[in-house]
């Protein structure tokens, strides 16, 4: 009787763990369940203090001429981007947004700097975000392949004389760092990675520990198995800390020391692993994706210095 009771209890526990893992997986990886409001709550950045600054920049951003761009991913998804030309310039920034955001949102403020410096902008919607197709979030692992499609479009549009900068924020930063391990077109001159994580597995483990106070095992292994089955990739299949070891592209790493969503230690790990020419700009007290707003002058000066080296 005791053995039967124990087996039954273990079965119930296993089902509970499977249910918790499935719930976590759906809320995290499925487009239909991943919500921007929940992401903002978890990130903990107080954006209300920058409301007037953002409103001013947004008005200028939306007043600029732009065009919708569409490409097909390697697995057949229709992906959307928005191209902002700048007086015929062939210097362009390819911008990748964060988790549950969109291309037209994350670069509202920074666009003003880039336009003044003579850059055109291509802001893209990651798969399963914005106007791009897809049911499963790529978390950089799949998006890095999509980045190659966007680079091919830019090189085909702007020609061999193009000078391209990859700029990513959060999941977008992980995307560009993961892409740095690929054979990038020679037109790519530099990478700017703002608050990027190493891999989905490692950032999910951090979130489970720090925010939910629950162990990552067996939730992460079960979620990883689900993701391999449904989305086609493992949560540590592509790790930015490994990919930057193969990089030949100069990279500027940016992070805030008060980032509780993607911890600052990940920036240090990425920086230490990077084999390319590398630079760092660290903002004391900045929360997740807040560095530009916390120290606008310092951020722009870091970009100036970086571009003076690589362009």
């Amino acid at each position: 009787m005791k053995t039967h009771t124990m087996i039954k209890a273990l079965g119930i526990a296993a089902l509970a763990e499977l249910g918790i893992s499935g719930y976590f997986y759906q809320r995290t990886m499925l487009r239909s369940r991943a919500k921007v409001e929940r992401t903002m709550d978890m990130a903990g950045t107080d954006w209300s203090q920058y409301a007037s600054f953002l409103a001013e920049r947004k008005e200028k951003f939306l007043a600029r001429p732009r065009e919708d761009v569409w490409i097909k991913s390697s697995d057949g998804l229709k992906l959307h981007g928005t191209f902002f030309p700048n007086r015929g310039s062939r210097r362009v920034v390819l911008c990748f947004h964060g988790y549950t955001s969109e291309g037209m949102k994350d670069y509202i403020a920074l666009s003003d700097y880039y336009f003044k410096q003579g850059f055109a902008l291509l802001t893209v919607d990651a798969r399963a975000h914005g106007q791009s197709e897809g049911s499963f979030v790529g978390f950089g692992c799949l998006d890095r392949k999509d980045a190659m499609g966007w680079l091919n479009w830019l090189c085909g549009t702007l020609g061999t004389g193009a000078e391209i900068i990859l700029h990513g924020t959060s999941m977008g930063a992980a995307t560009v760092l993961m892409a740095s391990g690929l054979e990038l077109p020679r037109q790519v001159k530099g990478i700017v990675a703002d608050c990027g994580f190493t891999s989905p597995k490692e950032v999910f483990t951090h979130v489970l520990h720090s925010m939910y106070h629950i162990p990552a095992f067996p939730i992460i292994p079960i979620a990883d198995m689900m993701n391999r089955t449904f989305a086609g990739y493992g949560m540590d299949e592509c790790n930015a800390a490994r990919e930057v070891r193969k990089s030949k592209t100069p990279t500027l790493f940016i992070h805030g020391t008060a980032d509780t969503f993607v911890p600052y230690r990940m920036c240090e790990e990425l920086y230490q692993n990077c084999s390319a020419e590398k630079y760092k700009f660290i903002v004391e007290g900045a929360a997740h994706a807040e560095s530009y707003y916390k120290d606008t002058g310092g951020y722009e000066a870091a970009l100036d210095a970086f571009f003076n080296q690589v362009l």
Side-chain angles (χ1 to χ4, degrees), residues 61-62 64-70 79-86 104 115 120-125 131 150 153-154 157-158:
F61 181 58
L62 295 180
R64 295 193 67 95
R66 59 190 184 275
E67 61 177 294
D68 289 319
V69 180
W70 301 90
L79 304 178
H80 172 260
T82 307
F83 182 64
F84 292 80
N86 194 357
M104 287 289 285
F115 291 139
L121 253 71
L122 175 58
T123 64
V124 302
D125 292 338
Q131 296 183 57
W150 289 114
W153 183 87
L154 279 173
T157 302
L158 301 178

Side-chain angles (χ1 to χ4, degrees), residues 68-133:
D68 289 319
V69 180
W70 301 90
I71 65 168
K72 280 278 188 180
S73 70
S74 59
D75 55 348
L77 296 178
K78 190 177 180 182
L79 304 178
H80 172 260
T82 307
F83 182 64
F84 292 80
N86 194 357
R87 299 178 182 177
S89 175
R90 290 203 285 180
R91 283 188 173 180
V92 60
V93 184
L94 175 52
C95 303
F96 296 87
H97 62 78
Y99 176 57
T100 69
S101 189
E102 297 178 17
M104 287 289 285
K105 291 182 178 178
D106 281 12
Y107 291 88
I108 289 171
L110 259 169
S111 65
D112 187 70
Y113 165 83
Y114 277 126
F115 291 139
K116 287 178 179 177
Q117 297 302 314
F119 288 92
L121 253 71
L122 175 58
T123 64
V124 302
D125 292 338
R127 58 172 57 217
H129 290 75
Q131 296 183 57
S132 289
E133 294 180 342

Side-chain angles (χ1 to χ4, degrees), residues 22-45 99-101 137 139 207 211-212 261 288:
Y23 178 70
F24 168 77
Y25 177 76
Q26 290 180 36
R27 282 167 55 99
T28 305
M29 306 301 293
L30 282 181
R31 178 189 196 133
S32 58
R33 298 289 297 277
K35 304 299 181 185
V36 65
E37 296 81 9
R38 188 164 61 241
T39 304
M40 292 178 71
D41 286 343
M42 291 167 63
T45 308
Y99 176 57
T100 69
S101 189
V137 180
F139 274 104
V207 167
M211 298 183 184
Y212 294 101
F261 194 38
H288 188 63

Side-chain angles (χ1 to χ4, degrees), residues 5 14 33 90 100 114 119 163-164 210 248 265 306:
T5 302
R33 298 289 297 277
R90 290 203 285 180
T100 69
Y114 277 126
F119 288 92
E163 292 184 299
I164 302 171
S210 64
K248 300 173 185 176
R265 62 175 168 77
F306 181 61

